[in-house]
Structures are given as structure tokens and as C-alpha cells.
Amino acid sequence: MKTAVFPGSFDPFTKGHEDIVRKALSLFDKVIVAIGVNSTKSYLFELEKRERWIRDVFADSRQVEVVPFEGLTVDLCKKHHASFILRGLRNPADFQYESNIAHMNEGLDASIQSVFLLCDPRFAAINASIVREIFKNGGDVSNFIPNTIDLHA
Amino acid sequence: MKTAVFPGSFDPFTKGHEDIVRKALSLFDKVIVAIGVNSTKSYLFELEKRERWIRDVFADSRQVEVVPFEGLTVDLCKKHHASFILRGLRNPADFQYESNIAHMNEGLDASIQSVFLLCDPRFAAINASIVREIFKNGGDVSNFIPNTIDLHA
Amino acid sequence: MKTAVFPGSFDPFTKGHEDIVRKALSLFDKVIVAIGVNSTKSYLFELEKRERWIRDVFADSRQVEVVPFEGLTVDLCKKHHASFILRGLRNPADFQYESNIAHMNEGLDASIQSVFLLCDPRFAAINASIVREIFKNGGDVSNFIPNTIDLHA
Amino acid sequence: MKTAVFPGSFDPFTKGHEDIVRKALSLFDKVIVAIGVNSTKSYLFELEKRERWIRDVFADSRQVEVVPFEGLTVDLCKKHHASFILRGLRNPADFQYESNIAHMNEGLDASIQSVFLLCDPRFAAINASIVREIFKNGGDVSNFIPNTIDLHA
Amino acid sequence: MKTAVFPGSFDPFTKGHEDIVRKALSLFDKVIVAIGVNSTKSYLFELEKRERWIRDVFADSRQVEVVPFEGLTVDLCKKHHASFILRGLRNPADFQYESNIAHMNEGLDASIQSVFLLCDPRFAAINASIVREIFKNGGDVSNFIPNTIDLHA
Amino acid sequence: MKTAVFPGSFDPFTKGHEDIVRKALSLFDKVIVAIGVNSTKSYLFELEKRERWIRDVFADSRQVEVVPFEGLTVDLCKKHHASFILRGLRNPADFQYESNIAHMNEGLDASIQSVFLLCDPRFAAINASIVREIFKNGGDVSNFIPNTIDLHA
């Protein structure tokens, strides 16, 4: 069974994230959406909400699992017998950042491989931190997040 | 009348900012320099000073207006009947960031368009956060800010 | 009257080109689509066809003019009393290339300014040279060029 | 069965190419190394040699197939019932180029997906056109191509 | 005597940093590793530790000096009669950042020149902030820092 | 004695090239401007002219030598006992290209090191191929090449 971990803080989960996970379902048997919890960071949306929102988005799919996690991504992979880390790429700056992380992860555990899919151009500008900024300023972010998610709920 | 909003925190306003606004005066009838105020950020220079400094730089031009604002840039545009957001580009990293913001703004209000001008190469390395760092360390920043501005005033 | 020149070889004219010109119509009074003719280059489509195709795309607009030209873009601008060169930006690599050209043009004539608009994300990957490659291999390029253009005509 | 096509001109096949294919073997059931033949391009090494060299590199693996092809990559995918196009990424410039190609391919056939793996940092600078240049100047390229390949053979 | 200053926070000093300093020893007579101390930043490792670790790494070389410093790099250069600032480059994003800093430094003191060396590809993904993150999560960072350094000491 | 080779085709030599060589004179004892001759390429200006122009630019300096060469840069370095290859960097795209070449050269001869200097921002957009294009179209390129060079001579 081919399992991939899709790590992120998903604060909030966007249409771009959804796009990558849906594409990955034809490549992997299972995709674990792993919500990273870092005690030194603060988040706009509570972990419970983020977890529930993502579960709702993929309520139609048995291949997707949602788990919060603390610590290193490679440790989470080992725990879930996942040999792949899934990441989406939107632009060259993303690539640079992701490639550094991937090479560092390889330095930690060479048996785990990073696999990259391309974000749909319509969603490539969506950035969770800009979404938060718009939301905090009372803007309408419905164009940027999956239809099933209501950030005010 | 073609009006453009030029948003930023201008902490402080640099020669690079001045260059972009001056170039824009041949393209637009009015350019609104909009000083963004974000209650969760802290600034090195007080809003009143930044406002006064920018007004002084453009004391010679009736086309330039200076306004502080809170909230979304697209909302400010609507309030001032501005159909354009003006941004300067210094380098490819700038472009990536600006292009994301522009596409998100388009997702919020498709009737407002982002227009980009190139920064003069002599000013392209000027970065307000490095200017602040030099200023805090007692360095001479006069090469980087308009001649009319005295940061110690 | 604000006139912009939009130079290119348009071999062929794509949806991305169309998008930039349409956006520019709210910014400029006239946009001159200038088809560059370089005697040392060979083109896939004849100049006459390219000219006609672009005219057809903008048959609905009196603001757009189509002219073939040889020589320097700044010379064409002077001839048509255009103070602006219009260019579209798709990605950071585009930006680097365009910024070099723009600075060189400024070195040739400082009174002419380059203005940049962002390509719609849906068209940002469209590249005339890939379109030609697909066309030569019998692929269907209708997703990449304006609906009014029939490359086989 | 998950099949990926790995297209290129492989003039010559490098350690970087080998690295990507070997990594892909844990992700796909079959990887088709597809040697693109473009009648308007000239190659340094004959197609027969390139084909034989790649077969030798993967003589130990039943998952790898080597096929020359003319025309569009998406057509080759359909012919071989491959739902994935495999590409290696070395750096941000690669990413930009590959992402354009991938989006154009998606515009041609949305059912075929591009999957990206990262090149090992030790091989990330290897570039077939620089290898050719060194080879033509009598340099020793053995650090850049798989050990089983003898370009002089 | 040609002296270069190699500034950074080195929190912690990595294999990438070591690589750049060792390469610079053939170019300069003396390399001053300058540990920047910024009272508004917090560091994971104490200054005394960082200083000792770097001294241990270069215990074999009389060309390397280690000094902590506060304030502007150009002021430190003047104090130590250093005409060069040494920086390592890992990737295009590094380059953009470093080039801005270098041009600002040139604006402060045109007599001091920035010299750039390339990081070994094996170390190019190493990033002190990711190293800190891994360390804080209990990961093994020995692949990323010089062998003589024990972060737990 | 520290000797650096500065390779290029210099078709023609620009103000950007001159800037890099002049900056390098404080770092190296000798700088060899090496005009690469590639029998498969065609040049706009004859080798003899390019050679003479560069000699004239540095007529004031005993540290600069001008030599034409065919073959690999690392072989030229060995012949002239040069341990360094000097390259200028203008922008991130330059960096990517140069870094690949440098790593390949290291793979050919690990004892030769590439050293990078930053181009002055005023000259960073200057590109020999755009200069040729302007020259062929009768434009005035005097802003882009050293004052002592007359391309019509």
C-alpha cells in the first residue's frame, strides 16, 4: 500500500490544498493530511475546527485520513508506514523552500521520498497567510477556500 | 479620471517609493499614497511622521494625495473610486509576492487592476526593513531616502 | 492621449496576449499591437496571417491598432507618439527578461516608460513557442489561442 | 497498474536522469523512458546509441522500458495507457519551465498528470548540454553520466 | 594583507558555513567569522557556545578569527581593516537577498566589496533555521553541522 | 600570486564586464580576460577587434591580460596557473546558470574555484545579446559599452 503524508498547518485549508490532495488520490492508496502543531506558533483557527473542516472536505473519500501531529514529519511518516511526503508547488519560490525541506528530510531519513504535484493555476496565488489577513479585515474569502468550509462556523 | 492607489507601510518612505510614484504621474491623473495601518504590527516611525514626510516629498505635485488606511486595499480603492493599484517591482522575488497579492485582490474585486512599474536600478536594492536596521545601528541612510526627509526630525 | 505600444512576434497571438491588451484598454487611450519583423528570424505563420488574426480579435475595439515593424521598439514609439511600452508578466522568469529589456530601452530613450500588467493565471503557462510545437505535431491548440483565430485558415 | 512516461532527448542520459528514474520505481509500476525524436533538431549522439545506453543502465530492472517517440508526449501516454508524466526538478528555473509544459499538457489532456521528483543535490548541476560541450572539447565527463555508459563506444 | 569578514548569526554554525570559510582560505589571508549580536533577536544557542564551537572547527587554521559584534557589518570591517565581506550562495533566493544587502553596504561604504563563493551542493539545502527546528523536535542534526560540534554540550 | 580567469565571448565587451574586472583587481594579482572561441558559434564582431577593444579598456593596468582560447575553461586555468574563475552576477537567473557551470567545472577539476562579484546595479541590465540587437538596428549603444570602445571602428 502506497501511503503519503501531506503536512501543513492548514490555517485555513484552501482550495489549493484541496486540489493537491484530490490529484494525489490517483497516485497513492492513502493520503494522510497531517496538521502540524507547533507549540511556539499561534494559529488563527483552532485545531479542532481545522481538523473538522478538512474531514468535511473529504467526507466523500475513504482514501483520506486527517491527523494532528507534533514533531518531525519523517517521524510521523514512520509511525504511519508512509514512504512518501506529498507537497504542492505553486511557483519557483515555493519550489526553493520545498526543495530545501525535502533535502533536509532526506538527510534525516533517506527511505522517505518527497513527491510534488502542481497546483492548478486558478489556485496558485492562494496563500493561507493572505487568506487570514483578508479574513481578519472582514473580506470575503469564499473564492479561496473549499465550498464546504464556513470559517465563521 | 484615472486614479491609482499606491499602498504600503512606508516605514520609512524610500527613494525607491518616490521613484515609482513620480513615474506613475504620467500614467494616472491621481496617485493616492495609502499608508497601511495594521494594529497587529509595530512600526519604527510614527504614522504622523510618515504621513508628513511623504506629503513633503510631493509638496510640488497636486496629483499626489496621502491617506492612512486600515483594512483591505480593494475597499480603499472603492472608497476613492480608484480602479488601479500601483506597485513597484524591484526583482523576481518582488514579482512573485506582488503577483500573489494582485491575484488575490482580483479574486476579491475583479474590477480593480494592478499596474506595475519598474524601479530604477539605482534604487532597486533599497528595502525599508534594511533601512530600519541600518538606522537603528546608527548608520547613515541618506543615500536611501528622499532628500527632503530627515528621519531624526 | 495616452498611447502604448505592445510589441511581440505573436507567432501566433495567444489568449495570454489578448488578455493583456484587453486589460490595457482601461489604462490607455490607444494600444498599438506591434508585430516585430526580424529578417534574421524565421516565423511559423506568415506576417499577413498574424496581422489579420490580431485585427479580427479586436474587430470590436476602436482603441486597438495593429502595425508590423522592423527596428527598435523605442523608434516605433517615437513614430507613433507613444510614451509607453506595454508588457505582460506571467512569471518571475518573464519578469527578469522584461526588466532587462525595459532598462535597456530606458538607456536608449528615458522618456519612454514600460508598464506591466499581470497575465490571468489561466493563461500564464501559454507560451507561443510551445503552442507552435504542439501545432506542428498535430495537437489541438484551441485552448491556447483566441476563439476567432483558426491557425489552419 | 500505474505507468509513468519519462520524456526527454537524453543526449546523453546523465546521472541526474538515472537518479530520477530509480526514485520513481518505488512510486510507479512501470516507467517508460521516452526518447523524443524531433526531425528539426540535431543530436550529438545517435538514437540507437542513446537507446542502448539507457537499456544498459536499467538492465537490472523489469519495471523500466525504453521507447523512442515522435510527436506529443500526451499522445505517447495514451498509446501506452500511462496516466502520469514523470519529471525531475533540479532548481527553480527548471520548475518554471516544467510547470509551463505541465499546464500546457493539462490543457491538451486533463486526465494525464505530471509528477515531480527532486534531483539528488550531487547531480543537480548536471545539464546534458554542458556535458555535450565538455565532451566535444575533449573533457572527461565520467563524473556526469552513469558508470555503464561509454560515450566513445 | 587581504582580510574578509564573514558575518552571520551562526545559530548554529553548519557544514555549509564551514565549507564557505574553508574555500575562502585560499583567497584571503585572514577570514574573520563575525557572530552578529542583535539585542532585539533571540537565539537558540548562547553566544559563548556559538563562539567556542566555531573556534573548535577552525582550531587547525591560523587564518581564521572569531569575533562577536553588534552594529553594522561595514563598521566591523573598518575596525578590522577588512576590505571584503565574504558570503556563501546556495540558491537564487539567497542571491537575491545577499545582493540587496551587498548593494546597501556599498551605499554605506563603497570601499568595501562583497565576494561570493558557492556552497557545495551537498550542503546547499542546509539552513540554520530548519536545523534549529529539527533540533528542538529531538531530531538528529549531525548530518548538518561540523563533526566537532556537539549541540548538546 | 593569485590569478583569476574571466572567461566570456565578449561580443562585445560591455560596461558590466569592465565593472567586474576592475573590482577584481583588488582581489587578484592578475586577471586574465579569456575570449572564448567556439568554432560552431558565429560572432558579430571579429576576434581581433574584441581583443583590441578589451586591451584598450585596460591599457592603464598591468594586472590585466587578454587571451583568446578554445576548449575548456579549466584547461586554460591550468595552462596559466590560475586557481580561480571569476564571474559577475547580475540577477538570480545569472546565478542559476553560473552555479551550474561552476559545479560542472568543479566536477572536472576540484582545485579550481569560482569566485563571484556583483555587477553594479546601473549596469546589471546590460546584456551583450541585447546590445548586438540594438547595434544591428542602428541604435546608439554608447551607454552600454566602455567609453574607449567604438564598435564602428
Side-chain angles (χ1 to χ4, degrees), chain B residues 56-77:
Chain B
D56 287 354
V57 171
F58 299 107
D60 58 338
S61 169
R62 300 186 131 212
Q63 285 174 270
V64 180
E65 208 170 295
V66 184
V67 301
F69 83 107
E70 247 176 312
L72 298 175
T73 306
V74 293
D75 290 339
L76 184 81
C77 287

PDB file of all heavy atoms in Angstrom, chain B residues 56-77:
ATOM      1  N   ASP B  56       5.626  66.034   2.264  1.00  0.00           N
ATOM      2  CA  ASP B  56       6.721  66.948   1.932  1.00  0.00           C
ATOM      3  C   ASP B  56       7.396  66.558   0.608  1.00  0.00           C
ATOM      4  O   ASP B  56       7.738  67.411  -0.200  1.00  0.00           O
ATOM      5  CB  ASP B  56       7.775  66.960   3.057  1.00  0.00           C
ATOM      6  CG  ASP B  56       7.266  67.701   4.284  1.00  0.00           C
ATOM      7  OD1 ASP B  56       6.162  68.290   4.211  1.00  0.00           O
ATOM      8  OD2 ASP B  56       7.953  67.684   5.327  1.00  0.00           O
ATOM      9  N   VAL B  57       7.595  65.260   0.426  1.00  0.00           N
ATOM     10  CA  VAL B  57       8.255  64.805  -0.806  1.00  0.00           C
ATOM     11  C   VAL B  57       7.474  65.263  -2.035  1.00  0.00           C
ATOM     12  O   VAL B  57       8.060  65.666  -3.039  1.00  0.00           O
ATOM     13  CB  VAL B  57       8.395  63.256  -0.811  1.00  0.00           C
ATOM     14  CG1 VAL B  57       8.874  62.770  -2.172  1.00  0.00           C
ATOM     15  CG2 VAL B  57       9.349  62.801   0.286  1.00  0.00           C
ATOM     16  N   PHE B  58       6.134  65.227  -1.927  1.00  0.00           N
ATOM     17  CA  PHE B  58       5.313  65.555  -3.096  1.00  0.00           C
ATOM     18  C   PHE B  58       4.620  66.914  -2.959  1.00  0.00           C
ATOM     19  O   PHE B  58       3.557  67.148  -3.553  1.00  0.00           O
ATOM     20  CB  PHE B  58       4.301  64.440  -3.362  1.00  0.00           C
ATOM     21  CG  PHE B  58       4.961  63.132  -3.641  1.00  0.00           C
ATOM     22  CD1 PHE B  58       4.940  62.102  -2.711  1.00  0.00           C
ATOM     23  CD2 PHE B  58       5.665  62.942  -4.830  1.00  0.00           C
ATOM     24  CE1 PHE B  58       5.576  60.905  -2.959  1.00  0.00           C
ATOM     25  CE2 PHE B  58       6.304  61.736  -5.085  1.00  0.00           C
ATOM     26  CZ  PHE B  58       6.262  60.716  -4.143  1.00  0.00           C
ATOM     27  N   ALA B  59       5.229  67.805  -2.169  1.00  0.00           N
ATOM     28  CA  ALA B  59       4.661  69.141  -1.984  1.00  0.00           C
ATOM     29  C   ALA B  59       4.520  69.853  -3.328  1.00  0.00           C
ATOM     30  O   ALA B  59       3.673  70.727  -3.508  1.00  0.00           O
ATOM     31  CB  ALA B  59       5.545  69.959  -1.041  1.00  0.00           C
ATOM     32  N   ASP B  60       5.339  69.443  -4.298  1.00  0.00           N
ATOM     33  CA  ASP B  60       5.334  70.087  -5.615  1.00  0.00           C
ATOM     34  C   ASP B  60       4.250  69.540  -6.543  1.00  0.00           C
ATOM     35  O   ASP B  60       4.088  70.043  -7.653  1.00  0.00           O
ATOM     36  CB  ASP B  60       6.710  69.901  -6.269  1.00  0.00           C
ATOM     37  CG  ASP B  60       7.083  68.428  -6.413  1.00  0.00           C
ATOM     38  OD1 ASP B  60       6.528  67.589  -5.672  1.00  0.00           O
ATOM     39  OD2 ASP B  60       7.928  68.105  -7.265  1.00  0.00           O
ATOM     40  N   SER B  61       3.529  68.524  -6.142  1.00  0.00           N
ATOM     41  CA  SER B  61       2.595  67.896  -7.076  1.00  0.00           C
ATOM     42  C   SER B  61       1.172  67.875  -6.547  1.00  0.00           C
ATOM     43  O   SER B  61       0.905  67.397  -5.440  1.00  0.00           O
ATOM     44  CB  SER B  61       3.044  66.458  -7.356  1.00  0.00           C
ATOM     45  OG  SER B  61       2.020  65.783  -8.033  1.00  0.00           O
ATOM     46  N   ARG B  62       0.244  68.357  -7.362  1.00  0.00           N
ATOM     47  CA  ARG B  62      -1.173  68.334  -6.978  1.00  0.00           C
ATOM     48  C   ARG B  62      -1.814  66.988  -7.291  1.00  0.00           C
ATOM     49  O   ARG B  62      -2.964  66.756  -6.928  1.00  0.00           O
ATOM     50  CB  ARG B  62      -1.932  69.409  -7.764  1.00  0.00           C
ATOM     51  CG  ARG B  62      -1.417  70.814  -7.521  1.00  0.00           C
ATOM     52  CD  ARG B  62      -2.300  71.834  -8.212  1.00  0.00           C
ATOM     53  NE  ARG B  62      -2.644  72.889  -7.281  1.00  0.00           N
ATOM     54  CZ  ARG B  62      -3.777  73.561  -7.295  1.00  0.00           C
ATOM     55  NH1 ARG B  62      -4.715  73.272  -8.181  1.00  0.00           N
ATOM     56  NH2 ARG B  62      -4.009  74.525  -6.427  1.00  0.00           N
ATOM     57  N   GLN B  63      -1.087  66.116  -7.976  1.00  0.00           N
ATOM     58  CA  GLN B  63      -1.661  64.821  -8.343  1.00  0.00           C
ATOM     59  C   GLN B  63      -1.566  63.794  -7.219  1.00  0.00           C
ATOM     60  O   GLN B  63      -2.201  62.752  -7.277  1.00  0.00           O
ATOM     61  CB  GLN B  63      -0.913  64.250  -9.565  1.00  0.00           C
ATOM     62  CG  GLN B  63      -1.228  64.900 -10.887  1.00  0.00           C
ATOM     63  CD  GLN B  63      -0.318  64.330 -11.968  1.00  0.00           C
ATOM     64  OE1 GLN B  63       0.777  64.856 -12.212  1.00  0.00           O
ATOM     65  NE2 GLN B  63      -0.737  63.259 -12.604  1.00  0.00           N
ATOM     66  N   VAL B  64      -0.708  64.085  -6.220  1.00  0.00           N
ATOM     67  CA  VAL B  64      -0.473  63.084  -5.178  1.00  0.00           C
ATOM     68  C   VAL B  64      -1.269  63.410  -3.918  1.00  0.00           C
ATOM     69  O   VAL B  64      -1.278  64.546  -3.457  1.00  0.00           O
ATOM     70  CB  VAL B  64       1.035  63.006  -4.833  1.00  0.00           C
ATOM     71  CG1 VAL B  64       1.274  61.963  -3.734  1.00  0.00           C
ATOM     72  CG2 VAL B  64       1.858  62.675  -6.063  1.00  0.00           C
ATOM     73  N   GLU B  65      -1.923  62.388  -3.383  1.00  0.00           N
ATOM     74  CA  GLU B  65      -2.655  62.521  -2.134  1.00  0.00           C
ATOM     75  C   GLU B  65      -2.100  61.487  -1.147  1.00  0.00           C
ATOM     76  O   GLU B  65      -1.701  60.403  -1.563  1.00  0.00           O
ATOM     77  CB  GLU B  65      -4.134  62.222  -2.415  1.00  0.00           C
ATOM     78  CG  GLU B  65      -5.119  62.912  -1.503  1.00  0.00           C
ATOM     79  CD  GLU B  65      -6.534  62.723  -2.048  1.00  0.00           C
ATOM     80  OE1 GLU B  65      -6.836  63.243  -3.152  1.00  0.00           O
ATOM     81  OE2 GLU B  65      -7.316  62.036  -1.385  1.00  0.00           O
ATOM     82  N   VAL B  66      -2.060  61.803   0.130  1.00  0.00           N
ATOM     83  CA  VAL B  66      -1.545  60.852   1.115  1.00  0.00           C
ATOM     84  C   VAL B  66      -2.649  60.538   2.123  1.00  0.00           C
ATOM     85  O   VAL B  66      -3.198  61.452   2.739  1.00  0.00           O
ATOM     86  CB  VAL B  66      -0.311  61.436   1.850  1.00  0.00           C
ATOM     87  CG1 VAL B  66       0.280  60.404   2.801  1.00  0.00           C
ATOM     88  CG2 VAL B  66       0.737  61.899   0.845  1.00  0.00           C
ATOM     89  N   VAL B  67      -2.980  59.247   2.276  1.00  0.00           N
ATOM     90  CA  VAL B  67      -4.022  58.864   3.240  1.00  0.00           C
ATOM     91  C   VAL B  67      -3.605  57.633   4.032  1.00  0.00           C
ATOM     92  O   VAL B  67      -3.083  56.685   3.467  1.00  0.00           O
ATOM     93  CB  VAL B  67      -5.377  58.559   2.558  1.00  0.00           C
ATOM     94  CG1 VAL B  67      -5.884  59.750   1.770  1.00  0.00           C
ATOM     95  CG2 VAL B  67      -5.278  57.343   1.661  1.00  0.00           C
ATOM     96  N   PRO B  68      -3.819  57.655   5.351  1.00  0.00           N
ATOM     97  CA  PRO B  68      -3.621  56.427   6.124  1.00  0.00           C
ATOM     98  C   PRO B  68      -4.860  55.558   5.934  1.00  0.00           C
ATOM     99  O   PRO B  68      -5.926  56.078   5.632  1.00  0.00           O
ATOM    100  CB  PRO B  68      -3.525  56.921   7.569  1.00  0.00           C
ATOM    101  CG  PRO B  68      -3.787  58.389   7.529  1.00  0.00           C
ATOM    102  CD  PRO B  68      -4.249  58.783   6.193  1.00  0.00           C
ATOM    103  N   PHE B  69      -4.713  54.248   6.070  1.00  0.00           N
ATOM    104  CA  PHE B  69      -5.910  53.412   5.957  1.00  0.00           C
ATOM    105  C   PHE B  69      -5.727  52.106   6.717  1.00  0.00           C
ATOM    106  O   PHE B  69      -4.626  51.592   6.877  1.00  0.00           O
ATOM    107  CB  PHE B  69      -6.262  53.136   4.488  1.00  0.00           C
ATOM    108  CG  PHE B  69      -5.503  51.997   3.852  1.00  0.00           C
ATOM    109  CD1 PHE B  69      -6.122  50.778   3.571  1.00  0.00           C
ATOM    110  CD2 PHE B  69      -4.167  52.144   3.523  1.00  0.00           C
ATOM    111  CE1 PHE B  69      -5.420  49.740   2.977  1.00  0.00           C
ATOM    112  CE2 PHE B  69      -3.458  51.114   2.930  1.00  0.00           C
ATOM    113  CZ  PHE B  69      -4.088  49.915   2.655  1.00  0.00           C
ATOM    114  N   GLU B  70      -6.843  51.579   7.155  1.00  0.00           N
ATOM    115  CA  GLU B  70      -6.884  50.280   7.785  1.00  0.00           C
ATOM    116  C   GLU B  70      -7.787  49.404   6.934  1.00  0.00           C
ATOM    117  O   GLU B  70      -8.715  49.883   6.312  1.00  0.00           O
ATOM    118  CB  GLU B  70      -7.476  50.402   9.197  1.00  0.00           C
ATOM    119  CG  GLU B  70      -6.480  50.102  10.293  1.00  0.00           C
ATOM    120  CD  GLU B  70      -7.086  50.340  11.660  1.00  0.00           C
ATOM    121  OE1 GLU B  70      -7.702  51.410  11.867  1.00  0.00           O
ATOM    122  OE2 GLU B  70      -6.939  49.473  12.519  1.00  0.00           O
ATOM    123  N   GLY B  71      -7.526  48.103   6.894  1.00  0.00           N
ATOM    124  CA  GLY B  71      -8.417  47.214   6.168  1.00  0.00           C
ATOM    125  C   GLY B  71      -7.848  46.800   4.826  1.00  0.00           C
ATOM    126  O   GLY B  71      -6.643  46.880   4.596  1.00  0.00           O
ATOM    127  N   LEU B  72      -8.747  46.392   3.935  1.00  0.00           N
ATOM    128  CA  LEU B  72      -8.335  45.846   2.653  1.00  0.00           C
ATOM    129  C   LEU B  72      -8.065  46.942   1.627  1.00  0.00           C
ATOM    130  O   LEU B  72      -8.817  47.918   1.545  1.00  0.00           O
ATOM    131  CB  LEU B  72      -9.417  44.909   2.120  1.00  0.00           C
ATOM    132  CG  LEU B  72      -9.714  43.681   2.984  1.00  0.00           C
ATOM    133  CD1 LEU B  72     -10.889  42.908   2.396  1.00  0.00           C
ATOM    134  CD2 LEU B  72      -8.486  42.792   3.087  1.00  0.00           C
ATOM    135  N   THR B  73      -7.024  46.751   0.822  1.00  0.00           N
ATOM    136  CA  THR B  73      -6.699  47.709  -0.224  1.00  0.00           C
ATOM    137  C   THR B  73      -7.856  47.884  -1.205  1.00  0.00           C
ATOM    138  O   THR B  73      -8.152  49.001  -1.634  1.00  0.00           O
ATOM    139  CB  THR B  73      -5.436  47.256  -0.983  1.00  0.00           C
ATOM    140  OG1 THR B  73      -4.389  47.037  -0.024  1.00  0.00           O
ATOM    141  CG2 THR B  73      -4.977  48.308  -1.966  1.00  0.00           C
ATOM    142  N   VAL B  74      -8.526  46.781  -1.562  1.00  0.00           N
ATOM    143  CA  VAL B  74      -9.636  46.906  -2.521  1.00  0.00           C
ATOM    144  C   VAL B  74     -10.769  47.770  -1.961  1.00  0.00           C
ATOM    145  O   VAL B  74     -11.445  48.478  -2.709  1.00  0.00           O
ATOM    146  CB  VAL B  74     -10.200  45.529  -2.974  1.00  0.00           C
ATOM    147  CG1 VAL B  74      -9.170  44.774  -3.806  1.00  0.00           C
ATOM    148  CG2 VAL B  74     -10.650  44.702  -1.786  1.00  0.00           C
ATOM    149  N   ASP B  75     -10.974  47.721  -0.651  1.00  0.00           N
ATOM    150  CA  ASP B  75     -12.013  48.574  -0.052  1.00  0.00           C
ATOM    151  C   ASP B  75     -11.603  50.049  -0.143  1.00  0.00           C
ATOM    152  O   ASP B  75     -12.436  50.915  -0.429  1.00  0.00           O
ATOM    153  CB  ASP B  75     -12.262  48.168   1.409  1.00  0.00           C
ATOM    154  CG  ASP B  75     -12.951  46.806   1.510  1.00  0.00           C
ATOM    155  OD1 ASP B  75     -13.567  46.386   0.500  1.00  0.00           O
ATOM    156  OD2 ASP B  75     -12.865  46.162   2.569  1.00  0.00           O
ATOM    157  N   LEU B  76     -10.334  50.319   0.103  1.00  0.00           N
ATOM    158  CA  LEU B  76      -9.849  51.694  -0.026  1.00  0.00           C
ATOM    159  C   LEU B  76     -10.028  52.190  -1.466  1.00  0.00           C
ATOM    160  O   LEU B  76     -10.433  53.338  -1.704  1.00  0.00           O
ATOM    161  CB  LEU B  76      -8.364  51.778   0.361  1.00  0.00           C
ATOM    162  CG  LEU B  76      -7.807  53.195   0.340  1.00  0.00           C
ATOM    163  CD1 LEU B  76      -8.183  53.927   1.624  1.00  0.00           C
ATOM    164  CD2 LEU B  76      -6.305  53.221   0.147  1.00  0.00           C
ATOM    165  N   CYS B  77      -9.737  51.326  -2.428  1.00  0.00           N
ATOM    166  CA  CYS B  77      -9.882  51.698  -3.839  1.00  0.00           C
ATOM    167  C   CYS B  77     -11.331  52.111  -4.123  1.00  0.00           C
ATOM    168  O   CYS B  77     -11.586  53.141  -4.754  1.00  0.00           O
ATOM    169  CB  CYS B  77      -9.508  50.523  -4.747  1.00  0.00           C
ATOM    170  SG  CYS B  77      -7.738  50.202  -4.790  1.00  0.00           S
TER     171      CYS B  77
END
